Amino acid sequence: MMATMILASMLFGAARAHGPEGYRDLSKVRPVSRAGHESVTHTVFNYTIDGDEYEGYVAYPTGGSDLPAIMIVHQWYGLGENEMFRAEEAAEEGYFAFAVDMYGAGRRASDNSEAGMLSGEVAGDLEVLVSRMSGALEQVTGDDGMWSEMVNQSALTCNGYCFGGNVCLQFTSVEEGADIVATSVFHATF
């Protein structure tokens, strides 16, 4: 009986990490509720890569400058609540946190089949993966980057869970990802 309860708890946790129904609506930026958040600025913003629009999420200590940066890459359902939460959590610790969008504005999976299709488009084509990550990185490092003035350019890291872990590992293994000084992944897919 206890083993069944533990297994059920683990499966619920895994399903939640991959995205429950209704989990992907970035227009529903929730009110700040955790202690310490009043000193964190967070926002959804749009950026363009090769003429296509993407929808990212940033969180950072209000008034911060020369901040170490962490790029958070979503799991296979797409950018959503979990990545937004992790960005806010990192900002509370003094980081500029950028939850990147690997699929495009408004493209989020609603089931595992769609998640497999969307993640396969990126993970199955290294050129697409590198282009999208490079474009996202440009937002925090480039001369025209919206956030580059806030970020310590020598303290860039990448973090991802599952699909996002794979993206971080692949990106940091190519020349374009050389600016990333550290990578942390959880349950990375290969």
Side-chain angles (χ1 to χ4, degrees):
M1 179 66 166
M2 181 59 92
T4 303
M5 289 173 42
I6 292 170
L7 179 60
S9 174
M10 288 170 53
L11 290 175
F12 174 76
R16 180 145 177 79
H18 285 85
E21 192 171 323
Y23 173 81
R24 303 279 160 227
D25 189 353
L26 295 187
S27 67
K28 296 180 181 177
V29 177
R30 67 234 176 266
V32 175
S33 60
R34 291 188 5 244
H37 261 283
E38 50 274 354
S39 64
V40 170
T41 300
H42 51 92
T43 187
V44 173
F45 78 102
N46 291 341
Y47 59 102
T48 304
I49 301 171
D50 298 328
D52 295 322
E53 191 169 321
Y54 294 81
E55 188 174 42
Y57 184 81
V58 296
Y60 52 90
T62 303
S65 64
D66 200 34
L67 300 170
I70 185 167
M71 294 179 64
I72 300 168
V73 184
H74 57 77
Q75 43 65 44
W76 74 332
Y77 265 67
L79 180 58
E81 190 74 22
N82 185 51
E83 295 79 19
M84 293 164 63
F85 169 79
R86 293 297 177 207
E88 292 165 6
E89 191 174 55
E92 287 178 353
E93 297 298 323
Y95 288 86
F96 176 90
F98 175 24
V100 304
D101 176 8
M102 294 300 291
Y103 297 158
R107 292 188 76 200
R108 307 292 181 259
S110 57
D111 59 36
N112 289 347
S113 175
E114 192 173 3
M117 189 257 325
L118 288 170
S119 64
E121 288 176 5
V122 176
D125 188 335
L126 185 59
E127 189 175 310
V128 168
L129 183 148
V130 169
S131 172
R132 291 180 187 179
M133 280 298 289
S134 294
L137 185 60
E138 252 328 277
Q139 300 303 307
V140 294
T141 62
D143 293 336
D144 296 332
M146 180 179 259
W147 310 101
S148 60
E149 291 183 18
M150 298 181 85
V151 173
N152 177 341
Q153 302 298 314
S154 63
L156 303 170
T157 61
C158 190
N159 171 269
Y161 174 80
C162 200
F163 162 77
N166 178 16
V167 169
C168 287
L169 290 173
Q170 287 196 58
F171 182 63
T172 56
S173 72
V174 298
E175 185 177 340
E176 291 84 350
D179 289 337
I180 306 291
V181 297
T183 301
S184 64
V185 302
F186 304 92
H187 179 60
T189 57
F190 296 99

